Each structure stands twice: as structure tokens, then as C-alpha cells.
Amino acid sequence: MTSLYDEFRVALHSVWTRRWLVLAVAWGICILGWLAIASIPNRYDSRARLLVDVNEILPDDAQGGGGRPQLDQIRETLTSARNMEKVAATTGLLPAGANEREKAGAVAMLQKNIKVVPQQDNIFEITSSVAVGSLSDADNAKLASGVLDSLITVFRDDQLRGGRMNAREGLKFLDAQIADREKALREVEARRGAFEAQNIGLIPGGSGSPAQRVDAARAELGQIDSQLVSAQAQLAAANGQLASTPATINVPGMGGVGGGVARQQLAGAQNELSSMRARGLTDAHPDIIALKSQIASLKAIADREGAGASGGGNSQNPAYASLAAMRAERQATVSALSARKAQLTGDIAKITSQQIQNPGIAAEYDRINGEYTAFKAQYDKLLAQREQVRMRGEVQTETDAIKIELLDPPSKPTSPAAPNRPLFLTLVLLAGIGGGVGAAFGLGQVRTSYATAAKLERASGLPVIGSITEVVTAERHLDRRKKLIWLAGGGGALVGLYALLLVAEFIQRGMVA
């Protein structure tokens, strides 16, 4: 502990013997540091809060995404280059006749120093920071507030005019696009018509490409197959029921008066067959095929009834007649489905054969149809978008689509936000004193001198016999006292300059307020 105390006394003595060096280094560091702090302009911040309310009069799909994307767009629009240029011109940051380089510099400076922070979904806090070295503190504080005033005014004006202008520009753009698509659509229609006329014998009729018609025919053929299987099963069941049902029944005490019913039905069916043939239907027509089958059944019934009429006790079985009519109907259904199946199979074979014989024509026709379908879809989509834009334009014309309310007006800064000059001045003073002490102590360590006899003994390894005490005369004492007064004056002047700078800083802040 004693050795540590001695070392401290030695270090203190080394610094004290070089006290003028301490004072000089402290003055140098403080002067340079305070000059650097003085060259930093004060930065003044102004804050404001905006409420931006989007009136969602139209549904989300008609407004192109709802309110949230519009709020994000508003946040980006606030600090856009166009708005910053208007603010710079309004606040005087851009002189009249400024060139493009000066405009770009002013816009970049404002974009860097204006911050937009969303506090809620539709509330924004805007902060403007201004630190122009060529302006006074009062002018910087006034400019910080003026920048926000100008920015809010420019933003309001743009939103009032921009919505309607955007709607008009959007309609103009969509009209041009629709005209282009309509022209292209007509050209494709003309090419398709000319291609069909040129290859009329190689392209089947009907709508759609050959591949599409083949797919449709195959889909319908699958349905026909399932229906035909069901109809054939129903016909087989009707045949089974008809085979197990007697054509006539014996009625006691009754003659064969019922035999004329079958003949009447047969006569009616034959008359209907003649009528169909008179209309031009051939024997291959499904209706004639079904009617012929019914006539054959009725003839058999009439023959049996005629043979049994001599007994005088048989009559026509109503159940048999009903089953015969049902069977005839189901036979007609099976015939019609079979005929449709044959027709579809023929169509598929014909189209497939044409595609095999003329693959280039079919491919080109498919390509033209695909191009037409694509243009038609684009055309319909553009028409729908134009209607949506037109509705938005009408809404924005009748009402304010975006409502802007100033919750907190731009604040008037009275003290700089940065730098903290009192703190920096104090830190420079402490750094100057510390630097002077450190320089003196370092110089003492470099010099090969010894403050005490014990230190000399440790350094040399030889015993020290004795030491001579310094004798101070009256004149020498007076000279030392005078130098001490000068040292105290130099130190006091440094502290006084520090205090003066602090007072000047607070006076300057008071002038801003």
C-alpha cells in the first residue's frame, strides 16, 4: 500500500513539474474541440400528425385492392420527389432558376431529413429535421416548421386533384388499350374466316377447333354409352315381362268383342307410319324404326285375338297391351341412342381422318382459334377494368375519396434537437485537462530522471548514500509565486471560456424561443 502511495506521489510530482505543459495541451485540445463543435449547425425538429381516412364507397374488387394499399401508397407519396421539389421551391430552399443539380440536391436533402412513421392504420407522424449551416438558429427553427406546413399543403392539393386526374388518365389509357385489342380481334376474325373459306372441305363445321370438337364428341359419346346400356337393360326387362304376360284373358259370358281393339290400334299405327313417310322420313329414321316395331307387335296381338274370338269367351289383356306399348317406347329409345352413337362415331372418325391427312391445316386452325380466344379474354377484361375505373372516377368526383385531417399541427421548435452542445463542451474540457495530464505524465516516463532516492536505488541497483534538499531563496520563492499566479490565471481563463460558451449557447436558444 505504501509503495502504491509513493508511486502516486511520484506521478503527481512528475505532472506538477510539467504544469505548463498540462495547461498548454489543455488549451490546445479545448480550442480545437470547441471550434469543431461551433462548426456543427444546430438541428431543429418539427413534428405533426395526420389522419388520412380512405372512404371505401365502392367494394374492394371495384377499388383495386381496398384501403390498405392506398394508405401504403399515401405514405410513399408524402416523400415523393415531385412533392419534395414543390416544398423546396415553396420554402425558399430552391432559388428561382435553379438547375437540375441543385433541384436534385434539395430533394435528396429533404427526403433524408423528413421521416414518415405510421402510428396506426391511418395515422402518420411526420418529422422534419433542418440544419442549414448558412442560416441562423431562428431561421432553421422556422424552416423546420415551414417545411411541414408546405408538405401538408402540397399533399392535400395533390390528393384533391390527383384522384380525378388519375381516373381520367386511367380511362384514356384503357380506351387506347381496348381499341388496340378490338383491332387485333377483328384481324384474327378476318384471318379465321379467310382460312375457313380457303379450307372449307378440310375443316369440319361447328364452333371450336377440331380438337375441341373431338373432345366434345367423345364426352357426349361417353354419356350416350351409359344411357344406351341403361335403355337396353330396361328393354330386356320389358321383353321379359311381356313374354310372361298372356295376350288375352277368358271372361265368362262374354264374346270376342275385345278383338277389335288391337286391330284399331294397328290401323292407327299404320296410318301414323304413312303420315311419317309422307313428311319425308326414311325407314332409317329412329321414329319409323320404333313405329314399325310397334306395328309388328300389334299385328301379332291382332292375329291371336282373331283366332281366339271364335271361342266367344276371350278378351284382350290390358296389362299385355300396356307392356307392349312400354316395350315399343323403350325400343324407340334404344334405336335413337344407337343412331346418335353411330353419328358421333362417324363425326369423330371424319375429324380424325382430316387431321391425319392434313395435320398442318388443323394445327394452323387451332393456333388461330387460340389467338382469338386470348384476344377475346383480354378484351373482356379491359372492358371490365374500364367500367371499374369509370365508377371510381364518378365516386371521386361526387365525394372526397380521401379525407386528410391535421391532428397535431407542425410544432415550433424552441431548442435544437442536436447536437447537445453543453454536454459536448463539458466533454471537450474534460478531454483537454485529461490530455494535458496524460502528456505530462508520459513525458515524465520517457525522461530518465528520478524524483526520489528510493526510485534511483531501484533503477540502478546501487545504494544511495544521501540526497541534497533544494534551498529556496526569497527571490526564488517570489518568482515561483508569480508563476503560480500565472498558472492559475491560465487555468481560470480556460474555465471562464468554457462558462462563457455555455452562457452564449443558452442565450442563443432563448433568442430562438
Side-chain angles (χ1 to χ4, degrees):
M1 188 68 182
T2 304
S3 176
L4 184 61
Y5 178 69
D6 290 340
E7 289 295 331
F8 176 73
R9 289 180 59 198
V10 169
L12 189 61
H13 179 268
S14 176
V15 172
W16 177 251
T17 55
R18 296 171 179 84
R19 51 191 174 274
W20 290 105
L21 177 63
V22 174
L23 183 62
V25 172
W27 267 96
I29 293 177
C30 289
I31 292 299
L32 292 177
W34 289 337
L35 286 176
I37 293 174
S39 64
I40 303 175
N42 285 329
R43 192 194 76 197
Y44 288 88
D45 292 350
S46 178
R47 290 179 174 81
R49 287 201 310 155
L50 279 180
L51 171 64
V52 182
D53 189 14
V54 179
N55 294 330
E56 297 184 8
I57 299 176
L58 295 179
D60 291 344
D61 56 350
Q63 293 212 37
R68 183 64 197 173
Q70 282 197 355
L71 292 177
D72 293 338
Q73 183 180 4
I74 287 168
R75 183 170 57 184
E76 296 174 359
T77 305
L78 273 169
T79 56
S80 63
R82 184 180 63 177
N83 285 355
M84 293 298 100
E85 186 174 342
K86 292 180 181 179
V87 170
T90 305
T91 55
L93 290 174
L94 273 181
N99 55 32
E100 294 298 326
R101 184 176 181 180
E102 292 175 343
K103 291 180 180 179
V107 167
M109 186 269 289
L110 287 176
Q111 287 179 335
K112 180 181 178 181
N113 295 323
I114 293 179
K115 307 296 181 184
V116 180
V117 179
Q119 292 185 335
Q120 297 177 11
D121 286 343
N122 55 350
I123 296 179
F124 300 94
E125 182 185 54
I126 311 174
T127 303
S128 169
S129 301
V130 175
V132 181
S134 59
L135 299 179
S136 64
D137 285 357
D139 291 338
N140 277 328
K142 183 178 179 181
L143 182 60
S145 178
V147 165
L148 283 190
D149 281 332
S150 178
L151 177 61
I152 293 171
T153 302
V154 168
F155 178 66
R156 275 178 169 169
D157 293 342
D158 283 349
Q159 291 303 318
L160 290 176
R161 294 192 302 265
R164 300 178 177 89
M165 292 179 62
N166 290 338
R168 288 196 295 269
E169 292 175 359
L171 282 176
K172 184 177 179 181
F173 172 77
L174 287 175
D175 286 338
Q177 292 294 316
I178 289 172
D180 292 340
R181 294 299 184 278
E182 186 176 359
K183 181 180 178 182
L185 197 60
R186 289 179 179 176
E187 291 177 355
V188 174
E189 286 179 345
R191 282 196 286 119
R192 187 173 68 173
F195 189 82
E196 290 177 349
Q198 185 178 0
N199 303 277
I200 191 169
L202 302 176
I203 299 177
S207 60
S209 64
Q212 291 173 344
R213 287 197 294 274
V214 168
D215 292 339
R218 285 174 178 168
E220 186 180 355
L221 185 60
Q223 297 176 358
I224 292 294
D225 285 336
S226 61
Q227 293 174 4
L228 184 59
V229 170
S230 177
Q232 288 173 344
Q234 293 176 0
L235 178 60
N239 287 333
Q241 291 177 354
L242 187 63
S244 61
T245 303
T248 60
I249 57 176
N250 189 12
V251 180
M254 181 177 180
V257 295
V261 176
R263 292 186 179 88
Q264 292 176 1
Q265 291 179 351
L266 178 60
Q270 289 175 345
N271 291 334
E272 186 177 356
L273 178 61
S274 300
S275 176
M276 287 183 177
R277 285 175 174 171
R279 292 201 303 268
L281 298 181
T282 63
D283 291 342
H285 195 276
D287 292 342
I288 292 183
I289 293 174
L291 190 58
K292 280 184 175 182
S293 177
Q294 186 179 1
I295 289 173
S297 301
L298 291 173
K299 281 183 177 181
I301 296 172
D303 291 341
R304 287 194 295 271
E305 289 176 351
S310 59
N314 292 334
S315 177
Q316 182 183 13
N317 188 353
Y320 184 86
S322 177
L323 288 174
M326 183 185 300
R327 185 184 66 173
E329 180 182 355
R330 290 179 179 178
Q331 284 178 340
T333 302
V334 170
S335 300
L337 290 174
S338 299
R340 181 57 180 165
K341 178 180 178 180
Q343 182 183 359
L344 289 174
T345 304
D347 291 343
I348 293 174
K350 181 179 178 182
I351 296 174
T352 304
S353 175
Q354 290 176 348
Q355 287 180 326
I356 293 174
Q357 294 174 1
N358 303 282
I361 293 177
E364 179 65 17
Y365 193 65
D366 285 342
R367 189 190 66 79
I368 294 175
N369 277 329
E371 189 176 353
Y372 175 82
T373 303
F375 278 124
K376 186 68 168 61
Q378 294 176 5
Y379 181 76
D380 294 339
K381 184 178 179 181
L382 287 172
L383 286 178
Q385 290 178 351
R386 182 177 67 176
E387 183 64 20
Q388 292 176 2
V389 172
R390 184 187 64 79
M391 291 177 64
R392 281 205 305 273
E394 290 179 356
V395 169
Q396 291 173 348
T397 301
E398 299 296 332
T399 62
D400 291 335
I402 297 178
K403 179 182 178 182
I404 301 173
E405 183 178 351
L406 188 61
L407 298 180
D408 295 332
S411 60
K412 309 293 183 181
T414 58
S415 59
N420 191 346
R421 291 186 190 277
L423 177 61
F424 287 170
L425 292 174
T426 303
L427 292 177
V428 168
L429 177 62
L430 295 178
I433 296 174
V437 172
F441 179 76
L443 185 61
Q445 296 298 315
V446 173
R447 297 278 180 89
T448 56
S449 61
Y450 305 96
T452 63
K455 189 174 181 181
L456 178 59
E457 249 182 35
R458 288 195 301 270
S460 63
L462 299 174
V464 177
I465 300 174
S467 60
I468 301 174
T469 305
E470 181 183 9
V471 178
V472 182
T473 62
E475 290 81 3
R476 180 82 173 170
H477 182 72
L478 185 61
D479 182 62
R480 285 186 173 181
R481 184 178 180 183
K482 186 186 300 183
K483 290 182 178 179
L484 187 60
I485 293 173
W486 291 350
L487 180 66
L494 183 62
V495 175
L497 180 58
Y498 162 75
L500 183 62
L501 291 175
L502 284 180
V503 172
E505 174 66 19
F506 286 111
I507 291 176
Q508 192 174 16
R509 292 188 179 189
M511 293 176 63
V512 173

